[in-house]
Amino acid sequence: MAIQKTSLVEIAMDRIKTYILENKLKENDKLPTEKELIAKLQVSRTVVREALRSLESIGILKIKPGGGVFVGDSDFRSIKSILKHHYEAHGVKIRELVEIRKILELGALRLIIEKNLDVDFDYLESLNQEYYQAITHNWDTKKYDQLFHQHIIQEADNETFYNFTEVIQEYFSLVKIDLMQSKKDLLASYKEHSEILAGLKNKNLEYSHKIMSVHFEPIFDYIYEMEGLKEDGTN
Amino acid sequence: MAIQKTSLVEIAMDRIKTYILENKLKENDKLPTEKELIAKLQVSRTVVREALRSLESIGILKIKPGGGVFVGDSDFRSIKSILKHHYEAHGVKIRELVEIRKILELGALRLIIEKNLDVDFDYLESLNQEYYQAITHNWDTKKYDQLFHQHIIQEADNETFYNFTEVIQEYFSLVKIDLMQSKKDLLASYKEHSEILAGLKNKNLEYSHKIMSVHFEPIFDYIYEMEGLKEDGTN
DNA sequence: ATCGAAAATTGGTCTGACCATATTATATAT
DNA sequence: ATATATAATATGGTCAGACCAATTTTCGAT
């Protein structure tokens, strides 16, 4: 078993992370300057800078030239950028992402109903009405559809779940998918949204699950059609 | 709107990422040396090094002292380390993680049945038998239980789904949770595993979902009890 | 052809310098 | 006294050159 010696940069990274935790620094709080860190950690500026850069690239820090070093936002932006590169390098099967989204959406419905949560139906219905307006006015509907689904997940009262879903959604948005829905399809989609809300109102898990499944069907149809038309596994 | 000038390091990072993509470098493939990158990118060694370090910290590269720079494994190790820090800084509600796990496991069952996948029941049953042995011999059972669940997810034929689940699992493993199951509870758990497999064999989604839900009940009971005993939201 | 020592390559760290931007202090005008 | 413009300072960004440590390659002895 080869014991690999830890580099000074890694040690510095750990100590800076620990510094943040021990001092309970929150987002945008200021860290010691490079010069101070050099004194504290007793290493060269090279090491301090490489450590800071690394921590910045994983989103833990934010470096403002001329200003100082600050604690970064915990918005998982760095995770999204990692997935972006992973996608560009390896591709991803759209089918897999859609399957995941379906599972998550079904799961959100389950959480809402099983935990007997109060849902902001007024807002969800207003979102769906905007969706309807977009459909009838031939605007871009995708945005409104997405907002609706996103908000249902938000209603599941699970922040971690919501965060992960957002990451998946970001991943998903990298993939070009144009499933050219006719106005008839879109109106059906709108109707399904309404029915899902009805299912939620009645706390009918089975029904809302059924409708949500139907709601995903055209997407799967489209995907299976696509998969039949090409060989490479990048989409 | 403030246009922020991009630093040379960021530009270098982009160019190196692009280099990997354009040359279709795979895991462990070698990149140009620092010296060569300095010549290629026409920047100082400082910039090249900070760019390489940053790319290493997000898992895209792997730097071997004395050896060279290589493409990193795409095992999401960096994402896990980001989540680790996020957990240490913000904590996480166990309830949320368990809810997510339940949703994912139910989802896996759904994918297997809806896609009519062939499942390696022999292996799953052998895993469950090991679980049984561990229970009766008073060994540590957690490992075997985990293997069983992990493999079910693996059977869902969705690599992205599996990867995300693994990340969640890693996140989960950071949390200390000891739900002290009695031998009686464990035997019930073992039985439920068997019933889940039976449900899968019969392609009975409803049944396997029901058993899986029951399977999670003691965990939720434990968690709700815990939540009642403390106020801080860190667990 | 094999093995081992020597040499070259490669990344790791240190120092000191200079630049650009942001912040702070100071002087000035009102 | 306050507000504003200006200068001084602090901070991160980049560059250059040097030396160290680990790895890889080269090459001679066997």
Side-chain angles (χ1 to χ4, degrees), chain A residues 1-233:
Chain A
M1 178 137 32
I3 296 173
Q4 77 157 36
K5 195 160 58 178
T6 317
S7 72
L8 290 183
V9 173
E10 290 174 73
I11 295 173
M13 286 176 67
D14 276 342
R15 291 190 59 182
I16 294 169
K17 279 196 285 190
T18 304
Y19 177 90
I20 294 174
L21 297 178
E22 288 183 345
N23 295 75
K24 302 192 197 308
L25 297 192
K26 301 302 174 192
E27 296 185 15
N28 298 312
D29 282 355
K30 197 171 184 306
L31 272 83
T33 66
E34 286 185 1
K35 187 187 285 190
E36 291 169 324
L37 286 172
I38 290 169
K40 263 188 217 288
L41 308 183
Q42 286 289 296
V43 291
S44 70
R45 194 180 169 199
T46 312
V47 170
V48 168
R49 280 190 57 79
E50 289 184 13
L52 292 177
R53 276 279 191 210
S54 294
L55 290 173
E56 184 188 37
S57 73
I58 60 180
I60 290 177
L61 299 181
K62 212 166 26 183
I63 302 177
K64 294 186 183 175
V69 183
F70 305 83
V71 176
D73 309 316
S74 54
D75 60 358
F76 301 107
R77 204 178 313 163
S78 54
I79 289 182
K80 291 169 186 169
S81 97
I82 291 172
L83 288 177
K84 180 162 184 281
H85 180 81
H86 184 270
Y87 167 68
E88 289 166 348
H90 302 86
V92 66
K93 295 196 172 69
I94 300 184
R95 171 183 62 78
E96 298 195 347
L97 286 177
V98 176
E99 284 177 2
I100 293 174
R101 275 205 67 83
K102 179 179 170 185
I103 289 174
L104 296 176
E105 306 244 8
L106 292 175
L109 297 177
R110 177 181 292 273
L111 288 177
I112 293 171
I113 291 175
E114 286 188 347
K115 294 195 287 181
N116 200 23
L117 298 174
D118 287 326
V119 174
D120 188 346
F121 286 111
D122 289 343
Y123 182 63
L124 277 167
E125 266 155 15
S126 76
L127 280 179
N128 200 31
Q129 282 316 308
E130 288 184 46
Y131 185 41
Y132 182 78
Q133 294 299 322
I135 293 169
T136 54
H137 291 78
N138 289 309
W139 301 337
D140 182 31
T141 56
K142 197 180 288 180
K143 185 178 106 193
Y144 300 95
D145 182 41
Q146 225 165 269
L147 272 176
F148 180 83
H149 287 275
Q150 190 178 5
H151 192 75
I152 284 188
I153 286 165
Q154 215 161 355
E155 292 279 0
D157 185 38
N158 185 321
E159 197 183 333
T160 312
F161 179 65
Y162 181 74
N163 286 336
F164 273 103
T165 305
E166 215 195 12
V167 169
I168 300 255
Q169 180 56 32
E170 181 95 4
Y171 201 11
F172 198 55
S173 71
L174 296 172
V175 184
K176 290 269 170 284
I177 172 173
D178 274 317
L179 70 149
M180 280 304 178
Q181 288 171 299
S182 67
K183 187 173 284 197
K184 200 178 109 190
D185 293 337
L186 289 169
L187 286 173
S189 172
Y190 157 75
K191 192 149 169 289
E192 283 150 14
H193 282 192
S194 301
E195 289 168 340
I196 288 168
L197 289 184
L200 279 179
K201 261 184 192 154
N202 302 326
K203 304 185 190 305
N204 189 330
L205 180 60
E206 199 181 344
Y207 178 74
S208 60
H209 263 192
K210 185 172 194 64
I211 304 294
M212 185 64 89
S213 291
V214 169
H215 195 55
F216 270 87
E217 267 173 22
I219 307 180
F220 281 111
D221 288 345
Y222 172 79
I223 287 169
Y224 289 140
E225 189 181 333
M226 284 294 99
E227 282 189 350
L229 297 178
K230 58 178 159 187
E231 317 292 279
D232 69 325

Side-chain angles (χ1 to χ4, degrees), chain B residues 16-43:
Chain B
I16 294 169
K17 279 196 284 190
T18 304
Y19 177 91
I20 293 174
L21 297 178
E22 288 183 345
N23 295 76
K24 301 190 199 306
L25 298 190
K26 300 302 175 193
E27 296 186 16
N28 299 312
D29 282 355
K30 198 172 183 307
L31 272 83
T33 66
E34 285 184 3
K35 186 187 284 191
E36 290 168 324
L37 286 172
I38 291 169
K40 264 189 216 289
L41 308 183
Q42 285 291 296
V43 291

Side-chain angles (χ1 to χ4, degrees), chain B residues 194-230:
Chain B
S194 300
E195 289 169 339
I196 288 168
L197 289 184
L200 279 179
K201 260 184 194 156
N202 301 326
K203 305 188 192 301
N204 188 332
L205 180 60
E206 199 181 346
Y207 178 73
S208 60
H209 262 191
K210 186 174 193 62
I211 304 294
M212 185 64 91
S213 291
V214 170
H215 196 54
F216 271 86
E217 270 174 20
I219 307 180
F220 280 112
D221 288 344
Y222 172 79
I223 287 169
Y224 289 140
E225 189 181 334
M226 285 294 99
E227 282 189 350
L229 298 178
K230 59 179 157 187

Side-chain angles (χ1 to χ4, degrees), chain B residues 169-180:
Chain B
Q169 178 58 33
E170 182 95 3
Y171 201 12
F172 199 53
S173 72
L174 296 172
V175 183
K176 290 269 170 287
I177 172 173
D178 272 318
L179 72 150
M180 280 303 179

Side-chain angles (χ1 to χ4, degrees), chain B residues 81-96:
Chain B
S81 97
I82 292 172
L83 288 178
K84 180 160 184 283
H85 181 81
H86 185 271
Y87 167 68
E88 289 166 346
H90 301 84
V92 67
K93 295 197 174 65
I94 300 184
R95 171 183 63 77
E96 298 194 346

